[in-house]
Amino acid sequence: MSARDRLDFLSDSWNRTRPELDISPWQVWGRVTRVHELFQLAVGRVLRGHGLAFTEFQAMAALVLSGPPYEANPNAIASFNLLTSGGLANLLGRMEREGLIERRTNPDDRRGVIVRLTESGLEHFDAAVLEENRVEHDMLAALSPEERQVLSLLLRKLLLSIDPDMFGDPDGLKRKAEAGPPRPARRPARRRPRNAAE
């Protein structure tokens, strides 16, 4: 393949400037990062056309994947979105004000809540996901079906090697969501300094 991209030229510069460094990993990470940036930009444009942010779309996807009646506890949504509890609370509050979701008390845990996708939220998601899926296909148009499969397998292998907890166990994400956030580790008690006179 004769075509060269910006990463090739930058790599040449690094090789001249710091020849002692093996920057071959950057050939992968630089491109993965750039692909992710371009994907977020393209999908973001589509979602904005439907009045949605990417995190809202992800939260709605988590609820849709739960199946009818499209509801789940916040931990499941947080795990799907990789959000902190504070970020999730702000997200759900905004989505509720926009009429995309509704929250009610969890009948199995009076301290918890159940998040449910509203009819309006489902309509927004169904309209947006069709365009979002089209963008995903368009961005892979340069690859043949066989090349897509090879790339997918390689990325899966890479993810399993660096993030086995989330991706190696198909039920791990669900169990994490049901278990809730991990309890903070207890700090060991601080020892009082001895008095020099003792």
Side-chain angles (χ1 to χ4, degrees), residues 22-117:
D22 175 10
I23 62 164
S24 57
W26 191 61
Q27 293 278 343
V28 174
W29 296 119
R31 290 186 172 96
V32 168
T33 300
R34 183 57 178 157
V35 166
H36 174 69
E37 291 171 349
L38 294 171
F39 174 77
Q40 292 276 38
L41 287 171
V43 169
R45 283 193 293 269
V46 167
L47 296 181
R48 282 195 299 275
H50 293 273
L52 297 174
F54 187 71
T55 50
E56 292 175 330
F57 182 72
Q58 283 188 303
M60 296 163 81
L63 293 170
V64 168
L65 289 177
S66 70
Y70 308 119
E71 61 183 27
N73 65 52
N75 289 328
I77 299 172
S79 296
F80 193 91
N81 275 23
L82 303 180
L83 288 172
T84 63
S85 57
L88 178 66
N90 292 332
L91 173 64
L92 295 181
R94 186 171 72 246
M95 293 179 69
E96 190 170 35
R97 290 191 297 272
E98 294 170 353
L100 300 173
I101 63 163
E102 56 189 15
R103 290 183 281 188
R104 62 180 174 83
T105 302
N106 188 339
D108 299 323
D109 180 4
R110 306 302 295 180
R111 296 169 300 176
V113 298
I114 294 293
V115 181
R116 183 172 185 169
L117 195 61

Side-chain angles (χ1 to χ4, degrees), residues 175-195:
R175 284 199 302 271
K176 273 186 169 184
E178 292 172 347
R183 294 183 179 180
R186 294 184 61 184
R187 286 186 170 182
R190 295 182 63 181
R191 297 181 64 182
R192 295 179 59 186
R194 290 188 176 183
N195 192 312

